Amino acid sequence: MKKLTLAAVVIAGLLLALTTLDFPRWGDPQTPASMHVSARFIEKSLEEMATPNIVTAVLGDYRAFDTMLETIVVFTAGLACFFILRTRMTREDLEPAAPENDPLDLAGEDLVIKTVARTFIPLIQLFGLYVLAHGHYSPGGGFQGGVIFAAAYILLAVSHDMKTALRHMSERASHLLSAAGVLLFAGIGVICMTNGVNFLDYGGLAGILGMSLATGHSFAILLIESGVALTVTAALIMIFKLLSSHGTVQEGF
Amino acid sequence: MQLPVLTILFPLFGAFVAVAVAWSSMGRSRQSVMPIAVSALGLSAVCAAVLFVQVLSTGPQTYLLGGWAPPWGISLSVDPLSALMLVVVSAGALLNLFAFSFTPSKWPLGKTPAFLGLYLLATAGHLGIVATGDVFNLFVFIEVAALSSYALLSMGGPRATFASLNYLLVGSVGASLYLLGVGYLYITSGSLNMLDIADILTTIPLSTTTLTGFVVLMLGLWVKMAVFPFHAWLPAAYSSASPAVSGLLAPMTTKVMAYVIVRMLTTVFPPDLLAAISGFSSMAVWLACVAIIAGALMALAQQDLRRMLCFILVAEVGYMLGGAFMGNATAMTGTILHILADAAMTLTLFLAVGSIVVRTGGSRIDDMDGMFTTMPVTMLAFTAGALSMIGVPPFCGFFSKWYLLSGALEAGHWVFAGSLILSSLVNVFLFFRVFERAFFRKPATASAPDSNDWYQLAPMCLIALLLPVIGLATGGIIQQIIQPALKGVM
C-alpha cells in the first residue's frame, strides 16, 4: 500500500511538473497574469491610497475582505485550540490569577538568561511595532508585526516561567484582545457602511474624519493592520499557552 | 442594498461578540451568549430571505466589497440560486441551533461560548462560499468553514478527536488542491473574479494549463465533498461528533461543495472545456455510480443509525456528482434540485436522530424498538425524512431523483440510472428495517412518551412539513431559479 501511494504521488508530481512546460514565460510582461489586473495596481495604487508598498495596498485595500477573513482564520485557530485543548476549567480559573510572590519558586532561575531576555524583550516589541507601522513602505504589516510581538511574549515565558508570563497577560486578556482585533478590522468596515458606502470602502471613513481620500485609505490600512496585529499576537499567545501547559494554562513547564 | 454582505457579517460579528462578552463578564452571565448566537443567525436568515425575494423580483445583485469594481476588488454575486442556498444554509443553521440549544451540554464550564463562536464561524464560512464571486475569496471562506468544522467535530464521542484529525488531514489536501487549481487559473487568465475568468477563458484557446487547473480544482472539491474514494472521513467524523454539530455540518458541507461544483461548471468554465476532456466527465459519472452503489452497500452493513445515514450521504454525494457531469440540462437540474432536497431531508433526519441520541444516549438500530410509542413526534419527522430520502412522491427527494433519472436516460447512461434505482431500493430496505423495529416491537424500557420540549420538536416538525412543500414547489423552483442559472450554458 505504501509503495502504491508513493508511486501515485510520484506520477501525480511528474504530471504536474509536465504541465509547467505550458506555463507562460517567467517574468514576461505579456503574460495574462502581469497584464490584466496587476498593471492597474502598479499604476494606480499610490495615488489611490498613498501607500508606496503595492503589496500592502492590495492586501489592505483592494482585497481587504480576504485579509479580514485570514485574520478571522487566525482568530478561529485560537478559539479552536481553546475549545479542543483547554482542560480542568474551574470557576477559579476564570478569575484573573492574583499576583503572588513565592520566594521558594525557583523555576527558571537563571540570572544570565533572565537578564538577557529582559534586555531584549522591549527591543523585540519595539521592532514588532516598527514592522507593523512600516508595512506601508516596506515588507511588513499586521501579520508579521503580530508574530514578532508574540515572540517577545513567548521569550518571556520561556526565560522566566508561565506564572510571570500570565501576570503580564492573563488568559482572559488574550481572549478579549483576539476578539478585539477582528472587531476592530470588521468594525472599520461597518463604520464605512454607516457613511452610505459599501463594506470596507475606506472612502467612507475618510469622509467621516474629513481627510482626503488617499490619506483616509492610508490611515484605514494602518488601523486594520493594527487589528490584524492584535488578533495575531493574542491568538499565537493563546495557542502557545495552551500547548505548553497541556491545556491547563497554569504552571506549564 | 447591503444585504449580501450583511448575511455573512451577522454570524461573523456574532462570533466575535460572543467570545468578547463571555470573557468580559467572567462566567457571571454565560447565559447571555446563547441569545447572541440565536439572534445573529436569525438576523442572517432574515437578510437572506429578504435578499432572495429581492433577487427574484429585480434580478441578480453584485456587491462590491471596498467599492472596488471586479476584477480589482472582490465582489459578492448573488443570483436566484445562490440566494436560495443562502436561505437554506442560514435557516438550517438556525433551526439546528434552536433544536439543540437548550440541551445540557457535556462540555466543561466555559466552553459553550467557544462552541457557539465556532458554530457561527462555520455558518458564516459556508454562507460566504455560496455568496462570493471570487475564486480566491472562496478558498478563504473554505478555510474559515473548514477550520471551525474540524474543531467542532472533535468534540463528541471517544473516537471524535481521531476522526476529526483524520478529517483535518484529508480536508487540507482537498483545500490545497483547490488552491492549486486557482493558481493555474490565475496563470492562464490573470484574474480571480469568476465572471471575468469566464470571459477570458472564452476568448483564449484551451491550453494544458487551463485543463490541468480544472482537473486539480475539481479533485480538490471532490475530496471536500466526500466523493467515493475520498469519502472515508465523512462517516467517521459525522457519526462520532456531538448531535448538534453533525446536525449543522451534515446538511451543509457536502451540499455547499456540490453547489460550488455546479457554479464552476455553469459560470466559470466554458462549456467546450468539458467536451475537450470528455474522458474526465465520463470518469466522474462512473465514479458517481461506484459511489452510489458503495454508499448503499456500506449503509447496509451498519448497526448504528447515524453511521447508516452517513453512508447514505455518501451515496447522495454520488447522485449530485453524476448529475453535474452528465452533460445535459435535465441532469444538471436534477443535481441542483437534489442539493436543495438533500439539505432539507438530511437536516430532518439528523435532527430526529440527534434528538434520539440526546434522549437515549445512543443510536444503535437494535435500540430502536418501540420508538414510535416513546418518541412519536420525532419518529414522524424521521419518517418524513426517510420517505423523502427513498424518493416517495410528493416528498422533495422524488422530484430531484426523477430529473436525475431522466437526465441519465437522455444521456444514455444506463448504469447511472440503474445505480440510482438500486440505491433507492436499498434505502427502502434500510429505512423499513428501522420502521419495523420502531413500530411493531415493544420498547425495552417503558417510559413516558416524548418528554422532549417544544423547542426541540418545533424545528424538526417545521422542516419535516417543508419536505412535501418543497417537492410540490419543484416547478416554480425550476422556472424561477434553475433555468436562469443554466441559461446559455446548457
Side-chain angles (χ1 to χ4, degrees), chain B residues 328-355:
Chain B
N328 59 53
T330 320
M332 189 58 106
T333 308
T335 295
I336 297 173
L337 278 178
H338 203 68
I339 290 173
L340 301 171
D342 198 45
M345 57 206 193
T346 314
L347 181 63
T348 317
L349 289 171
F350 271 82
L351 278 178
V353 175
S355 73

Side-chain angles (χ1 to χ4, degrees), chain A residues 76 79-81 83-84, chain B residues 118 146-155 164:
Chain A
T76 312
L79 202 60
C81 280
F83 188 59
I84 298 171
Chain B
L118 291 166
L147 199 56
S148 41
S149 307
Y150 304 145
L152 287 172
L153 287 167
S154 71
M155 285 291 175
S164 166

